[in-house]
Amino acid sequence: MRVAILTSEAVPFAKTGGLGDVAGALPKALRAAADVDASLVLPLYEQTDRALLRERIIDNLEVEWGGERRRVSVWYSEAAGAPAFLIDAPHYFARPNLYGYADDHQRFAFFSRAALELLKRLGSPPDVVHGNDWQSGFAVAELHSRRAFDPFFARARTLLSIHNLAYQGAFDPSDLGWMGFTRRETRDAFAHEGAAVALKAGLMLADALSTVSRRYAAEIQTREQGYGLDWLLRMRRERLVGITNGVDYEVWNPETDPHTAAHFSADDLSGKRECKLDLLRRFGLPEEPDRPVVALISRLVAQKGYDLVRQAAGKILETGAFFIALGAGAKEYEDFLQSLHTRAPHRVGVYVGYAGEPLAHQIEAGADIFLMPSQYEPCGLNQMYSMRYGTVPVVRATGGLDDTVENFDRARGTGNGFKFIRYSADSLLGSVYEALYCYAEPDVWRRIQLNGMRADNSWAAAARRYVEVYTAVKRM
Ligand code: ADP
Ligand code: GLC
C-alpha cells in the first residue's frame, strides 16, 4: 500500500502546533506497524533547518499555474524516519511565518498542485493521498476531477483529516478560475456562504474523512461546534471516523529525553524533582520544590481557554502555587501573561513566543499540573505528553481531552487527571483545587501520576486504524 501524506507542517521540518507533531510521527508509525509505504510531502519553509535535507532530487518540476508553467525544485529527507519530499517554491514559502498571509489560499493551492505533479514524476501511483486540514482541500478537489482523465491517478483515493474545523481557508471565489478550478462540480464544492472555502471542497470531495478523536468526530456534527459545516459532516457521517492521535514516545520519553535535566520513569520518579528545580531556575523562580508548579503551553488563541485562565489566574496564585506559561499568539493574551509576571515575579514564569522543542519538554518534565481548559479541542497532545512525564492534566471535558483523560476517583484509585465540564472559571478552579488537595497527599499524587505514566497512547494503535481506513477507501 502506497500512501502520500500531504501536510502544511511536520516535525522536524516545520511546526506551529499539533499537526506538526502528528504529521511527523504518522508515516514512521505506519511503516513500523503495517509495512505501509508512507511518505510525506510538505512545503520547504524559511524556518526549515537545511541540515535536515539530504539532496535536491528534482530541480525542474513543472507546475501549471495561472496560465503559465512555474518550475520548482524538490528536496528529499529521511529526518522524519520516513521519506519526505519538500517542495521548494521560494516565491510562496520563503517567508518568516508558516501562515497568516493574504495569499495563503494561493500558496497552498500551488503546493497541492506541485505535490500531485511530484507524485507523477516519482512514477509510482499512490493508493491513497492523505491530506490534512484546509491546506489539502485543494489537492483533494484537484485529484477528484483529475482522476477522470489522468490514468496515473485513476485508482488513487483520498482521505482528508480534520485537525481543526475552525480553520477553513476561505477566499474570494473569483480566484478559483485563474488557479485552474474551473469545473462546475469543483466550483460548487468550494462554494460556501458567498466565499470559496478550501476545507469545504475537501470535505465534499474526499473519498473518506477522519478527525483526531472520537468525541470530536461527534461534536463537529452539531450546530454548536460545526462551524457552519456540521450539515456537510452529518451528510457524510458514514465516511467520517475519529482516530485519536498517538504520542511519539521516541520524542516524548522522560527516560531518554535529551532536553531535560534528568531522566525518570514510572519505576523511579526521583529525576522529576531535579527537572522541577531546573525549570524553576530557568524561569528565575525561587528553588522551592515543594510548592506545586501549574503550567500551560499553547497557542494563545480563544480555543485554548485563555479567557478562563485570565479570570482564574489570581485565585490560582493565591493557593501559593507557581504558574509557568509558554505561548505565542493573540496580543491580548500575551499582554495578560506579561502583566501577570509583573504582578507576581516570584511566582510566575512566562515565555512569550514560539520556543521550539527544548523548553516545551522542560516544562512537561518539571511541572506538577498541566492546564488545558479548552473551549474545544480536536485531540490535544500536551495532555498526553504531560501524563507520560508524571505531570497531571487538568482539562475541560471536550474533544480529545475527554477521550484521553479520566477523572481521578479517590475511592477506587483510578483516573489520570481532573476534568470539568462547564466552560467557566469557577469550574476550572474547582478542578485545580481538587488537584492541589491531592498534590498535598504524596501517596495519592503518586497514584495519579503512575496511572498517567502507564497509560498507553502510542501511535501503534492509531496507525492500525489508519491502515483500516486506507484499506477500505482503496476498495471504493
Ligand atoms: P494545537 O495543535 O491546537 O496547537 P496540540 O496540543 O495538539 O494543540 O499541540 C500543540 C503542540 O505545539 C505541542 O507539541 C506543544 O508543545 C507545541 N507548542 C504550542 N505552543 C508552543 C510554543 N509557544 N512554543 C513551543 N511549542 C509550542
Ligand atoms: C489541531 C488541534 C489539536 C490537535 C492537533 C493535531 O491543531 O487543535 O487539538 O491535537 O491539531 O491533530
Side-chain angles (χ1 to χ4, degrees):
M1 171 108 65
R2 226 180 334 258
V3 180
I5 300 177
L6 273 47
T7 179
S8 57
E9 53 183 272
V11 167
F13 307 109
K15 164 171 164 179
T16 66
L19 172 60
D21 287 350
V22 170
L26 178 60
K28 183 169 67 177
L30 287 167
R31 297 176 86 86
D35 198 25
V36 171
D37 179 3
S39 54
L40 274 176
V41 188
L42 74 157
L44 178 64
Y45 296 98
E46 195 170 279
Q47 67 159 242
T48 306
D49 178 359
R50 279 6 188 212
L52 297 169
L53 308 179
R54 185 188 282 180
E55 57 171 328
R56 189 160 79 161
I57 56 157
I58 297 174
D59 63 3
N60 59 352
L61 188 73
E62 288 199 342
V63 185
E64 286 235 9
W65 191 241
E68 35 179 283
R69 281 166 186 271
R70 297 265 182 107
R71 284 189 164 191
V72 298
S73 32
V74 181
W75 292 81
Y76 180 77
S77 171
E78 288 182 357
F85 300 90
L86 294 98
I87 309 244
D88 188 8
H91 173 68
Y92 281 134
F93 295 108
R95 302 183 189 182
N97 298 311
L98 266 59
Y99 319 117
Y101 301 99
D103 61 350
D104 277 356
H105 62 293
Q106 297 176 32
R107 299 170 68 224
F108 290 102
F110 182 83
F111 161 71
S112 288
R113 183 154 311 144
L116 296 183
E117 232 30 85
L118 165 71
L119 297 178
K120 223 172 150 170
R121 175 76 81 89
L122 293 173
S124 319
D127 295 298
V128 180
V129 172
H130 178 176
N132 292 282
D133 278 348
W134 71 265
Q135 290 89 347
S136 299
F138 299 101
V140 169
E142 184 148 340
L143 198 52
H144 185 265
S145 44
R146 196 152 161 176
R147 62 191 176 195
F149 59 84
D150 186 342
F152 179 82
F153 286 115
R155 297 178 64 90
R157 297 292 174 264
T158 52
L159 167 67
L160 183 66
S161 292
I162 306 162
H163 297 264
N164 195 329
L165 189 68
Y167 299 92
Q168 301 187 344
F171 58 96
D172 187 333
S174 66
D175 280 348
L176 280 172
W178 72 260
M179 291 198 306
F181 296 98
T182 48
R183 286 187 15 157
R184 180 66 201 266
E185 190 191 4
T186 314
R187 298 177 72 97
D188 285 350
F190 274 100
H192 184 51
E193 294 172 356
V197 173
L199 182 65
K200 186 194 160 233
L203 297 180
M204 200 84 186
L205 300 174
D207 297 303
L209 304 173
S210 74
T211 185
V212 289
S213 68
R214 286 159 93 109
R215 175 81 195 267
Y216 192 61
E219 287 169 348
I220 55 180
Q221 297 180 46
T222 66
R223 279 233 356 217
E224 298 70 38
Q225 298 210 57
Y227 283 87
L229 293 172
D230 46 295
W231 58 274
L232 174 50
L233 292 159
R234 283 197 300 276
M235 197 173 90
R236 303 210 68 202
R237 64 173 169 260
E238 306 289 321
R239 301 283 179 113
L240 169 67
V241 292
I243 304 177
T244 304
N245 291 327
V247 173
D248 188 336
Y249 287 130
E250 279 177 28
V251 178
W252 296 93
N253 182 351
E255 295 176 50
T256 56
D257 196 321
H259 303 302
T260 56
H263 292 149
F264 55 93
S265 68
D267 298 325
D268 178 7
L269 267 159
S270 53
K272 189 167 170 70
R273 196 180 166 88
E274 240 179 278
C275 292
K276 182 168 178 176
L277 285 168
D278 174 66
L279 179 66
L280 293 171
R281 260 181 250 125
R282 278 177 194 280
F283 279 93
L285 296 168
E287 291 177 35
E288 299 168 352
D290 295 328
R291 219 179 255 289
V293 171
V294 177
L296 220 152
I297 305 172
S298 79
R299 293 179 294 115
L300 300 180
V301 291
Q303 173 198 346
K304 299 297 177 179
Y306 250 86
D307 292 327
L308 302 192
V309 175
R310 193 156 47 183
Q311 289 167 44
K315 289 254 168 60
I316 293 176
L317 290 177
E318 278 170 24
T319 67
F322 288 117
F323 181 83
I324 290 180
L326 161 61
K331 179 153 188 318
E332 55 171 322
Y333 301 130
E334 295 193 350
D335 290 348
F336 150 70
L337 286 178
Q338 300 288 19
S339 71
L340 194 67
H341 173 69
T342 312
R343 215 169 98 196
H346 300 298
R347 285 280 174 279
V348 177
V350 163
Y351 184 111
V352 169
Y354 188 81
E357 298 305 282
L359 189 60
H361 287 242
Q362 287 146 9
I363 294 176
E364 288 292 5
D368 297 298
I369 293 173
F370 194 95
L371 297 187
M372 289 183 84
S374 306
Q375 260 172 16
Y376 71 93
E377 196 63 72
C379 178
L381 296 168
N382 277 312
Q383 79 280 16
M384 296 192 275
Y385 300 157
S386 296
M387 286 190 237
R388 193 53 151 204
Y389 284 76
T391 300
V392 174
V394 171
V395 307
R396 181 158 173 266
T398 182
L401 297 174
D402 198 26
D403 286 354
T404 56
V405 176
E406 189 195 339
N407 218 3
F408 179 63
D409 180 325
R410 234 172 210 280
R412 291 188 296 147
T414 55
N416 48 26
F418 297 88
K419 284 203 277 200
F420 60 96
I421 294 172
R422 220 162 61 83
Y423 186 75
S424 77
D426 283 344
S427 306
L428 165 62
L429 275 170
S431 286
V432 170
Y433 291 153
E434 226 182 303
L436 288 171
Y437 287 134
C438 292
Y439 177 83
E441 294 175 68
D443 291 343
V444 175
W445 195 248
R446 180 62 52 93
R447 176 81 265 140
I448 310 172
Q449 286 181 302
L450 293 182
N451 287 349
M453 293 180 89
R454 291 186 175 136
D456 180 10
N457 292 308
S458 59
W459 264 109
R464 279 195 296 276
R465 294 211 54 215
Y466 276 105
V467 174
E468 284 167 22
V469 176
Y470 296 152
T471 310
V473 87
K474 208 180 132 178
R475 291 204 196 99
M476 283 176 187

